[in-house]
Amino acid sequence: GQNIDQPTEMTATEGAIVQINCTYQTSGFNGLFWYQQHAGEAPTFLSYNVLDGLEEKGRFSSFLSRSKGYSYLLLKELQMKDSASYLCAVRGAAGNKLTFGGGTRVLVKP
Amino acid sequence: DVKVTQSSRYLVKRTGEKVFLECVQDMDHENMFWYRQDPGLGLRLIYFSYDVKMKEKGDIPEGYSVSREKKERFSLILESASTNQTSMYLCASSPGQKGYTFGSGTRLTVV
């Protein structure tokens, strides 16, 4: 089975940095995804990690350690529009199914 | 850009009704998925399909069925709607070993 944990909610100030952690226990592993979801909207793809290390994409970076079953999403230079839920999802060894964590709601304050 | 279209944004149905949720994608993707999203529970996989006429159960298939007669269309069917099926339903498609593109979601209320 799959078990994915991430914090429920985080608050940060505009211009600051926030790190959202995700830990997982899975029967197989073939990649980890991060999605952003604004209230009432569909999730949109942010990042993908399949090898250990850091992937940087503008203000957003994602890190993976497969041996520790751990990932984080780093949001830098926070903007008000970054207020959203961030979903961690793991793809198992077989097929293309994603299992999602409960999501982390990030609130950016002025 | 890939577009995944869900036919209804909001639906209100009565207990016991048969409900059809439609999803269409326009990029010839093999894989399509139906999830429901509930507060505190995240996205949970109901059914998925890797090709036309193929379907596989996800983590919570009870009370649901699916149909994939054409590659671009994946329908979720609630055989007899119940109040515990009130939820946000999200359809997604994927071209194989890549991430998903989601539709805008259908918020279903069963009264």
Side-chain angles (χ1 to χ4, degrees):
Chain A
Q2 320 267 51
N3 188 42
I4 300 169
D5 289 313
Q6 50 182 131
T8 304
E9 196 167 293
M10 302 180 75
T11 302
T13 305
E14 195 175 13
I17 298 173
V18 69
Q19 177 174 315
I20 307 168
N21 295 324
C22 172
T23 57
Y24 62 90
Q25 294 170 311
T26 59
S27 54
F29 179 84
N30 191 20
L32 187 143
F33 295 79
W34 284 96
Y35 284 82
Q36 181 191 59
Q37 186 179 25
H38 286 99
E41 297 183 12
T44 55
F45 171 79
L46 284 180
S47 70
Y48 169 63
N49 296 71
V50 66
L51 301 175
D52 291 350
L54 188 68
E55 294 281 341
E56 297 188 83
K57 193 185 286 186
R59 294 189 299 114
F60 293 1
S61 304
S62 58
F63 171 84
L64 175 67
S65 169
R66 288 172 296 170
S67 63
K68 295 182 180 177
Y70 168 69
S71 173
Y72 67 72
L73 180 70
L74 195 69
L75 286 64
K76 295 179 259 189
E77 300 168 19
L78 278 172
Q79 302 175 9
M80 299 299 292
K81 68 178 182 180
D82 297 330
S83 291
S85 289
Y86 293 85
L87 313 178
C88 174
V90 172
R91 181 164 59 205
N96 194 23
K97 291 188 300 177
L98 294 186
T99 300
F100 286 82
T104 299
R105 188 177 168 205
V106 171
L107 178 62
V108 180
K109 293 185 173 179
Chain B
D1 278 352
V2 176
K3 194 167 182 182
V4 179
T5 303
Q6 294 184 231
S7 53
S8 303
R9 196 69 193 267
Y10 299 94
L11 272 180
V12 179
K13 296 292 181 181
R14 295 192 181 278
T15 301
E17 275 193 81
K18 191 169 186 175
V19 181
F20 293 85
L21 302 183
E22 305 288 346
C23 176
V24 177
Q25 51 96 0
D26 65 359
M27 281 299 290
D28 203 36
H29 288 173
E30 294 91 0
N31 305 164
M32 295 188 76
F33 307 84
W34 274 106
Y35 286 83
R36 62 177 284 177
Q37 185 174 31
D38 301 287
L41 297 176
L43 275 78
R44 293 179 291 166
L45 182 63
I46 304 171
Y47 266 96
F48 61 103
S49 169
Y50 287 146
D51 206 345
V52 176
K53 298 203 187 286
M54 292 183 65
K55 59 185 178 184
E56 292 195 41
K57 293 179 180 179
D59 300 317
I60 51 164
E62 297 79 18
Y64 303 94
S65 63
V66 289
S67 172
R68 192 152 181 216
E69 295 297 318
K70 294 184 178 181
K71 195 172 189 178
E72 67 270 20
R73 185 181 297 271
F74 192 36
S75 304
L76 180 70
I77 304 155
L78 285 66
E79 297 292 344
S80 177
S82 63
T83 54
N84 64 11
Q85 292 178 310
T86 291
S87 186
M88 170 68 86
Y89 290 86
L90 287 163
C91 175
S93 76
S94 171
Q97 291 295 309
K98 291 187 183 285
Y100 293 1
T101 299
F102 283 91
S104 298
T106 296
R107 186 166 292 282
L108 173 67
T109 302
V110 182
V111 298

